[in-house]
């Protein structure tokens, strides 16, 4: 039997969204890699999710690092290099501007690329769920050493291949799976300066690892404090938890609008899950966010900033 899709008639109506926005005081955003796509950074599960024939998510585990720390470090050194070259886009700027206008706006981001902070998003209204590429930790769990704001590029001399700049249109040799990786001895990766035994590793949360407990408690406390009027779910495939669970966690039925902003937002299976008060806008976050938030943040400057 054919299922009937009960799609709310206003689901992609900007005027209806603006009405809800005008009545909203507490907004939560949950962001993913799609937000940074317009800054030139690849997403994980779409095209570009492969790195040298490796599924990017397979390299993001403690097991992968234990097995081949040089390979995993090359992957992260490359991502650091790309993130340093990228610039925050109009979507990051629009969210930072919303935070400045609305004290009760909290932005949760799965992105580790540092583009939210670089858009001057206020620190106390931003939770980096999966850490940062620019934090460095000790792989030895019992050590606890961490260094923040490490922007070294290349990260260390042994990883210089990840920071090569090539002519536009040419591929970085490191990214070509047909070219063999030069042998880099593990001994050339930097060790922890504190315990002197563990390898340094990126300060991101890998699959199978816990998110920062205090951060999770703070987010829960924020959600529980008062009713949340709106949850913006931006550029994420919503498959990785706990991030994927926050929209429903923050929902007060019949009141909270969950607003999806995603290239894929118009696919039938996504629309099928919409409640009457929800919205879904299909398109590029870099275009949609400035338009959707304009009644609160005003028009952007020519370069996408608001300051
Ligand atoms: N604008 C809006 N949405 C976009 C855009 C864009 N320009 N480009 C891509 N998207 C959407 C895709 O349709 C997809 O739904 O962004 C989503 C990206 O999904 P993923 O690649 O799965 O990224 P994300 O949801 O952030 O992944 C979560 O998984 O690998 C881990 O730790 C990693 O933080 C990451 C987590």
């Amino acid at each position: 039997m054919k299922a009937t899709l009960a799609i709310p008639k206003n689901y992609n109506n900007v005027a209806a969204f603006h009405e809800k926005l005008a009545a909203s005081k507490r907004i939560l955003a949950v962001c993913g890699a799609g937000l940074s796509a317009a800054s030139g950074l690849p997403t994980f599960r779409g095209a570009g999710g492969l790195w040298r024939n490796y599924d990017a998510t397979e390299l993001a585990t403690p097991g992968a690092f234990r097995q081949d720390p040089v390979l995993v470090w090359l992957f992260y050194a490359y991502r650091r290099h790309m993130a340093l070259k990228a610039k925050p886009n109009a979507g990051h700027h629009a969210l930072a501007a919303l935070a400045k206008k609305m004290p009760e706006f909290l932005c949760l981001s799965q992105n580790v690329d540092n583009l939210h902070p670089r858009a001057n998003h206020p620190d106390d209204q931003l939770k980096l769920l999966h850490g940062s590429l620019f934090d460095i930790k000790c792989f030895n769990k019992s050590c606890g050493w961490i260094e923040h704001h490490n922007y070294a590029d290349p990260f260390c001399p042994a990883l210089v291949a990840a920071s090569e700049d090539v002519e536009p249109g040419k591929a970085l040799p490191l990214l070509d799976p047909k070219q063999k990786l030069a042998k880099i001895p593990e001994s050339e990766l930097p060790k922890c300066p504190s315990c002197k035994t563990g390898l340094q590793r990126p300060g991101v949360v890998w699959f199978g690892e816990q998110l920062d407990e205090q951060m999770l408690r703070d987010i829960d406390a924020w959600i529980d404090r008062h009713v949340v009027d709106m949850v913006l779910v931006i550029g994420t495939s919503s498959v990785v938890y706990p991030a994927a669970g926050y929209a429903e966690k923050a929902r007060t039925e019949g009141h909270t609008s969950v607003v999806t902003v995603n290239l894929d937002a118009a696919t039938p299976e996504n629309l099928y899950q919409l409640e009457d008060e929800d919205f879904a806008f299909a398109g590029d976050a870099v275009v949609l966010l400035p338009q959707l938030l304009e009644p609160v943040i005003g028009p952007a400057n020519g370069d996408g900033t608001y300051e």
Side-chain angles (χ1 to χ4, degrees), residues 32-34 37 43-45 57 110 130 207 235-237 240 262-264 283-285:
T43 59
F44 294 94
R45 291 174 185 79
T57 58
Q110 299 166 90
H130 298 167
F207 288 101
T236 175
S237 54
V240 174
N262 193 305
L263 279 183
D264 286 352
D284 194 334

Side-chain angles (χ1 to χ4, degrees), residues 12-36:
N12 61 356
N13 180 328
V14 176
F17 168 83
H18 282 163
E19 242 175 70
K20 176 71 189 189
L21 180 65
S24 296
K25 288 196 170 60
R26 302 195 84 226
I27 299 183
L28 184 70
V30 185
C31 305
L35 174 63
S36 293

